[in-house]
Amino acid sequence: MKSKYNGYSFELNENVTREKVEFHNRYGIKLVGDLYLPKEKRDKYEAIAITGPFGAVKEQSSGLYANELASRGFVTLAFDPSFIGESGGEVRNVASPDINTEDFSAAVDFLSVQDFVDAERIGILGVCGFGGMALNAAVIDTRIKATVTSTMYDMTRVNANGYFDEADSADARYEMKKMLNAQRTEDYKNKEYKRAGGVVDPLPEDAPFFVKDYYDYYKTERGYTERSLNSNDGWNVTGTLSFINMPILKYSNEIRSAVLMIHGEKAHSCYFSKDAYENMIKDNPYKDNKELLIIPNAVHTDLYDDKNIIPFDKIESFYKEQFK
């Protein structure tokens, strides 16, 4: 299978240009992104850094968001997080709660020094697992004026507790850690890292709906791209080991800047956004600029690429209001 649009899962808007850029995070890892620029010329633009979903690349959903928002007048940067896609970092196909949060701030670094960007009007947007990273970045980076999360996963919660918190026990975590650490030994012995496999293919008839939902995006022409982990061989088996005991949203109720969280009503993952939103506004004196928007009847991957469902008008107005 090949991607639909020469490496991308979407068509470039005729009112937008796209160029490859490189920057680095404070760990020295080179990050690679696509910078989307409106053809309408202005001296200064508001800017938005975008990445996600977890295991996807900039040629997929994050690029689609960047493409659409650039057509609405924003400079946007869709980038590959550390360790995946065209970005640097060794070993490949691993993730880090710390480094992947830092990646958002590195994108803000890059945007803030561009002559055509207003450094006081920079926001971020995280899709799926990088929605959680975006919230975590908003906690720590006071330069971020507005944050949008779409169909958010809290990757530390799902790794520690399993889906729907069904494995939330010390014994379950211990058994998982035993398995992952045994794999570490095998990987070191074999001098290579075993891959977990991407989205299951062929799709079992009895697969849960959310697995079918992922298959429909990552394993079909709709969303497939060559660099995507989820479309191909997946993460390393041990790729998210550190997520088990590093919860990322502990201080989310200290976010002062504006946050818009968007989720589909029928998404298996909707509980992540609902719970994260409640935790974010609890005892937070800055909750008037926080909003949870539930999209009726939408499932998880509808918010990856369905422009009839993704509320782009709302996202645009949210950023413009915060950038005033």
Side-chain angles (χ1 to χ4, degrees):
M1 184 185 300
K2 290 188 175 181
S3 50
K4 194 185 300 185
Y5 297 103
N6 192 28
Y8 292 81
S9 64
F10 59 92
E11 190 172 12
L12 184 66
N13 188 288
E14 62 182 8
N15 297 314
V16 172
T17 62
R18 178 171 60 206
E19 62 183 65
K20 195 84 69 182
V21 296
E22 296 180 358
F23 53 104
H24 64 275
N25 65 23
R26 65 186 178 90
Y27 295 105
I29 298 172
K30 180 182 76 174
L31 301 175
V32 178
D34 286 327
L35 190 66
Y36 291 77
L37 299 165
K39 288 184 178 177
E40 177 189 356
K41 298 300 180 185
R42 301 206 309 267
D43 289 337
K44 294 284 187 179
Y45 296 89
E46 298 112 338
I48 305 165
I50 307 169
T51 195
F54 198 78
V57 286
K58 63 186 180 302
E59 292 87 0
Q60 295 176 301
S61 180
S62 62
L64 181 143
Y65 274 79
N67 184 48
E68 177 65 26
L69 289 171
S71 76
R72 294 166 180 253
F74 301 95
V75 163
T76 56
L77 173 62
F79 65 93
D80 288 333
S82 296
F83 309 112
I84 69 170
E86 290 187 291
S87 287
E90 296 292 342
V91 176
R92 307 302 296 162
N93 314 313
V94 298
S96 161
D98 178 17
I99 295 173
N100 293 146
T101 297
E102 157 65 19
D103 289 341
F104 269 112
S105 289
V108 174
D109 291 342
F110 172 81
L111 290 170
S112 67
V113 300
Q114 304 307 309
D115 291 341
F116 50 84
V117 168
D118 185 339
E120 297 301 315
R121 292 177 170 86
I122 296 176
I124 62 173
L125 191 155
V127 185
C128 187
F130 280 90
M133 303 295 184
L135 276 186
N136 208 38
V139 175
I140 198 168
D141 195 332
T142 57
R143 301 170 301 169
I144 296 168
K145 295 301 186 290
T147 300
V148 172
T149 69
S150 182
T151 198
M152 189 205 81
Y153 258 57
D154 177 347
M155 293 306 302
T156 52
R157 178 177 176 180
V158 75
N159 274 278
N161 300 346
Y163 279 102
F164 317 112
D165 299 325
E166 289 178 351
D168 184 12
S169 73
D171 286 344
R173 279 185 285 275
Y174 182 74
E175 291 303 318
M176 177 168 53
K177 286 181 277 190
K178 278 177 61 180
M179 180 273 291
L180 291 172
N181 285 294
Q183 186 62 52
R184 286 186 67 136
T185 303
E186 287 301 306
D187 289 347
Y188 199 84
K189 183 189 303 181
N190 297 331
K191 297 182 173 58
E192 64 179 11
Y193 294 86
K194 184 178 179 181
R195 301 286 287 275
V199 173
V200 62
D201 187 17
L203 186 68
E205 289 186 10
D206 60 350
F209 173 77
F210 74 90
V211 175
K212 295 177 181 178
D213 191 26
Y214 284 133
Y215 183 94
D216 188 49
Y217 180 76
Y218 286 108
K219 289 292 190 175
T220 71
E221 188 183 51
R222 170 186 167 192
Y224 178 88
T225 64
E226 285 77 4
R227 293 192 185 99
S228 170
L229 298 187
N230 293 341
S231 292
N232 297 289
D233 292 333
W235 298 92
N236 295 350
V237 171
T238 60
T240 56
L241 177 59
S242 64
F243 284 68
I244 296 171
N245 64 336
M246 294 186 184
I248 57 176
L249 300 179
K250 180 174 176 59
Y251 296 108
S252 63
N253 66 344
E254 296 182 5
I255 299 174
R256 299 189 180 192
S257 56
V259 176
L260 171 64
M261 303 183 69
I262 304 166
H263 224 112
E265 176 191 22
K266 302 295 186 184
H268 70 281
S269 52
C270 194
Y271 71 100
F272 289 122
S273 284
K274 288 179 176 178
D275 290 354
Y277 175 77
E278 290 302 321
N279 291 333
M280 180 175 59
I281 64 171
K282 183 180 179 183
D283 301 324
N284 189 341
Y286 300 90
K287 59 186 170 188
D288 290 345
N289 59 359
K290 311 294 190 290
E291 181 178 355
L292 174 63
L293 177 63
I294 302 297
I295 307 300
N297 299 314
V299 299
H300 185 80
T301 66
D302 284 340
L303 294 178
Y304 282 10
D305 66 339
D306 192 331
K307 292 198 285 187
N308 294 316
I309 294 177
I310 300 169
F312 278 115
D313 289 345
K314 171 68 175 179
I315 295 171
E316 177 186 2
S317 63
F318 168 77
Y319 280 122
K320 287 184 174 177
E321 177 64 27
Q322 304 308 319
F323 290 156
K324 283 182 179 177

